Amino acid sequence: MSWTTPETIRAQVRKLWDSGRILASLAGGEPVFPRRLSLKKPTSAEMGRSFSEVREWIGKLQGGEKKYRLVWQQIHHRTLGTNKVPAEVWVDSLEDALALIGRTDEADTFRALVALTAEKEPALVGWLLRRPLQGLALGDDWRLLLAVVSWLREHPRPAIYLRQVDIEGVDSKFIEHHRRVLSELFDLVLPAESIDGAHRGITGFCRRYGFYDKPVRIRFRLLDPAIRLVADMADQDITVTGGGFATLGPPITDIFITENEINFLTFPPRPASMVIFGSGYGFDTLAAASWLHSRRIYYWGDIDTHGFAILDQLRAHFGAANSFLMDRRTLLSHAQFWGREPQPVKGELARLSRDEQAVYDDLRFDRLGERLRLEQERIRFSWVGQALDRL
């Protein structure tokens, strides 16, 4: 029979716990108890057919853990006479509910978190109200998280590296590990002028709150032997910070971006040209170099769906960027080197040319083969030289 049992009563209370409502009530949320729970009981017909099972069911309910209360109803059955059966089941108090599902200790821990928060950073009690289960999961670290919040509130936009934050028990790895939750907490406590809204997410954490970020480095080679930025360096393979790159402005006209290091290292000499070792989907730092916007830019990526997705993103920063060796002729001429792309992109790309779009569609719709790709380093070196000559 599918009548309510002590276990299904506990399951109903567990569901309330799992929803966070019970813990939220400890942070000022709506009280949950006393509460009437669902009770599925025998019908009159079932009592007539299965009276012994009904008596057993009543015995199990009465033999429960006494953390719920039964409300009885007297019924008159034409063959069984007058009997009392459970009509309602109630959990009268929060304490009874916690004992019923074995969560008393966790609730006490959460109460302590709420009290500590109300003392140290009262503006964050509302966060615990909205995210009680997450708050409980962070219980061991919550005191230190509050300490970090308090420190930044007292030192807004500190212009230091995370490593330099000096809080007892806190190191940079702790802050880095908790960047997501700290972002939520900072946004609730800090004044608007202390938050740079242009930066979001994990990668924008430092810049959003005024910490120094690990500098992005750009690696490039000057392809013209007549142009030297470092006098005694023969190959002019140079790595600088993004800020340093933005100040260069070398006398070149053509910029090639490639995602493969061997292609970067073997890129043929070319007058007034530079090759940059690409950074996948990240072009913000390149876009910050104003001089780059007045040069011709060529992107050389794999001929696969991700290669075209990266090209599409590059054009969000450099609208006139050209693709290089990402055409149908190159793809079909290297069929013996085709491979399989692990996780193809399927979405629409709005910044491709008509010819690029046609190749991208062939790849994403598997018209030439399932998950087909041609990695850039598999293209014949002589083919690269011929393509450069045609530019």
Side-chain angles (χ1 to χ4, degrees):
M1 300 296 182
S2 58
W3 306 325
T4 296
T5 66
E7 181 51 42
T8 56
I9 291 172
R10 283 191 291 273
Q12 291 182 63
V13 179
R14 283 194 205 99
K15 188 174 181 180
L16 291 168
W17 174 274
D18 293 340
S19 73
R21 292 180 62 184
I22 293 178
L23 284 179
S25 70
L26 299 177
E30 182 181 354
V32 182
F33 303 98
R35 188 179 191 86
R36 180 181 176 180
L37 302 180
S38 174
L39 178 68
K40 187 171 183 181
K41 54 190 177 180
T43 64
S44 178
E46 287 175 330
M47 290 185 64
R49 290 195 309 268
S50 308
F51 187 65
S52 60
E53 287 87 344
V54 171
R55 291 175 59 186
E56 183 179 353
W57 169 71
I58 293 173
K60 288 181 178 179
L61 284 182
Q62 287 180 306
E65 299 174 43
K66 306 302 183 184
K67 300 301 180 183
Y68 55 82
R69 173 172 57 87
L70 297 174
V71 176
W72 297 84
Q73 176 185 16
Q74 195 170 65
I75 63 170
H76 303 281
H77 196 277
R78 60 176 183 168
T79 58
L80 301 174
T82 300
N83 292 276
K84 286 198 310 180
V85 296
E88 298 175 6
V89 59
W90 286 76
V91 175
D92 290 325
S93 69
L94 173 63
E95 289 68 26
D96 284 344
L98 295 171
L100 188 64
I101 59 174
R103 300 287 188 173
T104 300
D105 290 345
E106 289 164 282
D108 288 343
T109 297
F110 188 73
R111 282 192 183 97
L113 296 182
V114 173
L116 179 65
T117 306
E119 176 189 351
K120 301 292 186 182
E121 293 291 343
L124 298 182
V125 173
W127 187 91
L128 289 174
L129 173 62
R130 293 188 299 275
R131 301 182 181 275
L133 293 173
Q134 186 179 356
L136 180 62
L138 291 167
D140 291 343
D141 293 329
W142 189 251
R143 179 184 61 81
L144 295 179
L145 289 170
L146 292 179
V148 175
V149 172
S150 298
W151 185 93
L152 190 60
R153 182 169 48 77
E154 295 167 4
H155 304 83
R157 306 202 67 77
I160 61 175
Y161 287 101
L162 293 178
R163 175 69 178 86
Q164 296 171 278
V165 175
D166 194 3
I167 302 172
E168 181 69 30
V170 173
D171 59 18
S172 58
K173 288 188 178 297
F174 177 87
I175 297 176
E176 290 167 357
H177 178 71
H178 291 294
R179 281 177 297 179
R180 191 176 302 280
V181 66
L182 281 171
S183 291
E184 296 181 20
L185 303 181
F186 289 160
D187 286 353
L188 292 171
V189 169
L190 298 177
E193 60 269 20
S194 296
I195 301 172
D196 185 346
H199 302 285
R200 296 180 177 276
I202 295 300
T203 57
F205 178 86
C206 288
R207 285 167 289 177
R208 183 174 178 83
Y209 303 110
F211 293 100
Y212 289 148
D213 209 351
K214 181 179 179 180
V216 177
R217 299 188 180 276
I218 297 175
R219 184 181 177 189
F220 63 92
R221 288 179 59 234
L222 292 171
L223 302 174
D224 188 338
I227 302 174
R228 289 178 174 268
L229 293 184
V230 182
D232 297 330
M233 182 181 292
D235 59 5
Q236 296 294 297
D237 183 344
I238 301 169
T239 300
V240 297
T241 64
F245 186 80
T247 65
L248 292 180
I252 59 175
T253 58
D254 292 351
I255 309 286
F256 296 87
I257 302 173
T258 180
E259 302 294 333
N260 180 271
E261 187 174 21
I262 294 300
N263 284 347
F264 166 81
L265 292 171
T266 60
F267 206 96
R270 181 176 171 83
S273 298
M274 168 193 291
V275 62
I276 295 174
F277 186 25
S279 54
Y281 283 92
F283 295 111
D284 292 345
T285 305
L286 290 180
S290 59
W291 61 270
L292 208 57
H293 292 266
S294 62
R295 272 56 167 188
R296 287 189 297 269
I297 295 178
Y298 299 88
Y299 176 74
W300 181 13
D302 296 331
I303 306 182
D304 61 11
T305 61
H306 281 279
F308 283 109
I310 297 172
L311 172 63
D312 181 81
Q313 188 179 78
L314 174 65
R315 286 190 178 136
H317 300 282
F318 301 94
N322 304 280
S323 60
F324 179 68
L325 293 177
M326 298 178 69
D327 56 279
R328 182 181 300 278
R329 182 166 171 260
T330 298
L331 176 63
L332 297 180
S333 297
H334 293 79
Q336 69 269 39
F337 299 119
W338 288 355
R340 287 169 63 86
E341 187 175 17
Q343 295 181 315
V345 174
K346 298 293 186 180
E348 297 294 330
L349 302 177
R351 304 181 187 94
L352 301 183
S353 70
R354 180 180 299 177
D355 290 343
E356 292 162 353
Q357 184 69 52
V359 177
Y360 173 64
D361 286 345
D362 284 347
L363 294 173
R364 66 171 172 156
F365 296 132
D366 293 332
R367 292 170 180 164
L368 300 175
E370 186 179 2
R371 296 189 295 171
L372 185 148
R373 75 183 305 198
L374 174 62
E375 295 173 283
Q376 57 196 272
E377 66 268 29
R378 293 183 176 274
I379 296 173
R380 294 192 302 276
F381 193 70
S382 60
W383 192 275
V384 177
Q386 293 166 15
L388 288 172
D389 291 341
R390 289 194 297 270
L391 289 182

